[in-house]
């Protein structure tokens, strides 16, 4: 009887331990969680233990090299199911292209002009504070305040950036795709701000990892009524400023380490027009518009980026997802 009692006690203790371990593992793997590393100035979003997105926000002005590497904040994207970053950071072809990012090369105010695309002459985008980081079973969200500063470190524009990731099913992939909803609010700190530039150096854009530039393997899908060639359709603002405009959406596919990734770029239909679209074989794409705003009314921008792994989605499938995105903005 005593032996049975002792065995029962040991068995009960083991079951309790297993239950605790299972609960801990479940907590680590269920849904979205953030891991912020303030000492490194990076914050990673995980879904069921798999990395999804990385917010990169260091700023170091101790040397010319460190300034170059940290003059803008941006978001890296991890390949669905790969645990590998599939966007580009500092260095490589066109070092200022970094992940998911936003900027204008001609930002005009008070008779001055700054370049918040190449971040020259001291202009830089600097993380000011984290407003919110939130996870859960269905989505992960972060909101940060970012200052677009002049060379003296004084803000010209204050950006409030909210990025939300939701897993979705797409017909061409066996694993969930990342639906990334990007919302940026730009508030002026210097009176009237004029945003100007060109489709190659302004707006909200995505840059694939450096191996894509080495192979020039980016291919594109566009809506009906626009060029249907898989190769990039490239136009110049100087020779054809109103060519390739107002698409609403387009898609870029590329290969890295034997995996095929697809990136669907969707723009809020209400952005200022014309919205000029840009495509490059090395893996940068996005859209730009020129506009102006002041302290009385901030500029708000909304985009959706869907990243999947597998076969390239059909045009009709992407068009359907774009229609859902546009409809969601009206609610």
């Amino acid at each position: 009887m005593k032996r049975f009692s002792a065995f029962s006690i040991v068995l009960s203790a083991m079951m309790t331990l297993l239950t605790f371990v299972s609960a801990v593992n479940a907590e680590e793997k269920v849904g979205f969680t953030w891991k912020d590393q303030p000492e490194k100035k990076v914050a990673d979003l995980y879904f069921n233990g798999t990395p999804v997105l990385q917010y990169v926000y260091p700023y170091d002005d101790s040397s010319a090299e460190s300034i170059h590497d940290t003059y803008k904040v941006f978001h890296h994207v991890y390949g669905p199911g790969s645990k590998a970053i599939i966007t580009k950071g500092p260095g490589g072809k066109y070092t200022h292209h970094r992940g998911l990012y936003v900027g204008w090369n001609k930002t005009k105010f008070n008779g001055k002009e700054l370049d918040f695309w190449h971040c020259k002459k001291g202009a830089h985008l600097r993380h000011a504070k984290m407003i919110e980081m939130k996870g859960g079973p269905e989505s992960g969200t972060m909101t940060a305040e970012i200052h677009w500063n002049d060379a003296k470190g004084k803000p010209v524009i204050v950006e409030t950036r909210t990025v939300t990731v939701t897993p979705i099913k797409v017909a061409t992939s066996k694993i969930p795709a990342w639906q990334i909803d990007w919302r940026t609010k730009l508030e002026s700190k210097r009176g009237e701000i004029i945003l100007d530039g060109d489709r190659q150096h302004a707006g909200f854009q995505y840059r694939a990892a450096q191996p894509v530039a080495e192979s020039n393997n980016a291919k594109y899908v566009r809506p009906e009524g626009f060029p249907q060639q898989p190769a990039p359709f490239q136009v110049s603002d100087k020779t054809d400023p109103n060519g390739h405009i107002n698409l609403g959406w387009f898609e870029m596919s590329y290969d890295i380490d034997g995996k095929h990734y697809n990136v669907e770029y969707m723009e809020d239909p209400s952005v200022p027009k014309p919205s000029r679209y840009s495509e490059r074989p090395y893996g940068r794409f996005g859209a730009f518009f020129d506009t102006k705003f002041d302290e009385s009314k901030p500029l708000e921008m909304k985009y959706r980026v869907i990243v999947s792994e597998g076969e390239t989605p059909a045009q009709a499938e992407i068009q359907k997802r774009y229609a859902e995105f546009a409809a969601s903005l009206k609610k």
Side-chain angles (χ1 to χ4, degrees):
M1 192 72 175
K2 290 182 179 180
R3 289 180 182 177
F4 179 77
S5 178
F7 175 76
S8 298
I9 293 172
V10 172
L11 180 62
S12 177
M14 290 178 64
M15 293 299 293
T16 301
L17 178 61
L18 287 172
T19 300
F20 172 77
V21 171
S22 297
V24 170
N25 289 338
E27 184 177 354
E28 290 179 348
K29 294 184 178 180
V30 172
F32 287 89
T33 55
W34 283 97
K35 182 180 179 182
D36 189 17
Q37 300 181 69
E39 70 285 356
K40 294 182 178 180
K41 304 296 183 183
V42 295
D44 286 281
L45 177 64
Y46 293 84
F47 177 62
N48 292 343
T50 299
V52 176
L53 200 70
Q54 183 181 82
Y55 177 54
V56 184
Y57 62 98
Y59 180 73
D60 182 355
D61 60 359
S62 61
S63 69
E65 182 179 5
S66 62
I67 290 175
H68 167 272
D69 289 345
T70 62
Y71 55 45
K72 66 171 66 174
V73 296
F74 64 97
H75 284 75
H76 269 313
V77 179
Y78 288 87
S82 73
K83 298 185 179 180
I85 288 175
I86 61 171
T87 47
K88 192 186 81 64
K93 187 171 186 176
Y94 306 124
T95 183
H96 53 277
H97 295 169
R98 301 179 185 181
L100 281 167
Y101 63 112
V102 62
W104 268 260
N105 65 321
K106 294 181 180 179
T107 304
K108 304 173 184 179
F109 60 98
N110 298 337
K112 302 176 182 179
E113 181 177 312
L114 288 178
D115 183 346
F116 288 113
W117 182 264
H118 303 92
C119 294
K120 295 179 178 180
K121 298 180 180 180
H124 60 280
L125 276 67
R126 185 172 183 176
H127 172 85
K129 64 180 179 180
M130 197 75 75
I131 297 173
E132 179 184 54
M133 300 183 78
K134 183 170 62 176
E138 297 181 355
S139 65
T141 299
M142 62 150 288
T143 300
E145 181 178 304
I146 300 161
H147 291 182
W148 297 30
N149 290 342
D150 61 19
K152 295 181 180 179
K154 302 297 182 180
V156 176
I157 296 171
V158 170
E159 175 188 357
T160 303
R161 181 183 302 181
T162 299
V163 182
T164 301
V165 182
T166 308
I168 64 169
K169 292 182 179 180
V170 298
T172 52
S173 180
K174 296 179 181 179
I175 57 177
W178 309 138
Q179 176 180 288
I180 304 169
D181 285 302
W182 178 291
R183 297 191 174 211
T184 279
K185 181 172 71 173
L186 302 181
E187 298 178 86
S188 170
K189 296 299 177 181
R190 302 290 181 92
E192 183 178 77
I193 304 283
I194 298 174
L195 298 179
D196 199 358
D198 60 83
R199 72 184 76 218
Q200 317 302 346
H201 306 103
F204 172 63
Q205 307 220 8
Y206 178 104
R207 174 62 198 270
Q210 179 60 22
V212 181
E214 295 166 4
S215 60
N216 277 339
N217 67 25
K219 300 292 186 291
Y220 293 86
V221 177
R222 308 167 197 86
E224 290 184 5
F226 294 93
Q228 297 299 297
Q229 64 191 50
F233 184 75
Q234 303 184 67
V235 298
S236 167
D237 281 302
K238 292 181 180 180
T239 60
D240 191 10
N242 291 318
H244 210 44
I245 62 173
N246 305 335
L247 278 72
W249 67 266
F250 59 164
E251 185 270 351
M252 178 177 71
S253 298
Y254 57 93
D255 299 307
I256 295 180
D257 295 332
K259 292 183 178 291
H260 187 73
Y261 296 106
N262 312 288
V263 183
E264 302 169 28
Y265 177 108
M266 302 176 184
E267 183 179 64
D268 179 355
S270 69
V271 300
K273 300 295 189 298
S275 180
R276 299 178 171 93
Y277 279 59
S278 176
E279 308 172 6
R280 284 293 189 255
Y282 57 77
R284 178 193 52 76
F285 81 134
F288 132 87
F289 53 82
D290 54 64
T291 191
K292 58 185 178 181
F293 62 100
D294 58 28
E295 283 120 335
S296 68
K297 188 176 182 181
L299 173 66
E300 296 195 35
M301 305 159 56
K302 301 172 185 176
Y303 298 88
R304 175 170 289 175
V305 176
I306 298 175
V307 182
S308 64
E309 188 273 327
E311 295 180 14
T312 301
Q315 182 190 67
E317 182 183 353
I318 304 173
Q319 183 67 48
K320 180 180 178 182
R321 283 195 281 270
Y322 172 71
E324 292 170 350
F325 167 62
S328 72
L329 298 177
K330 296 180 180 179
K331 295 181 181 180

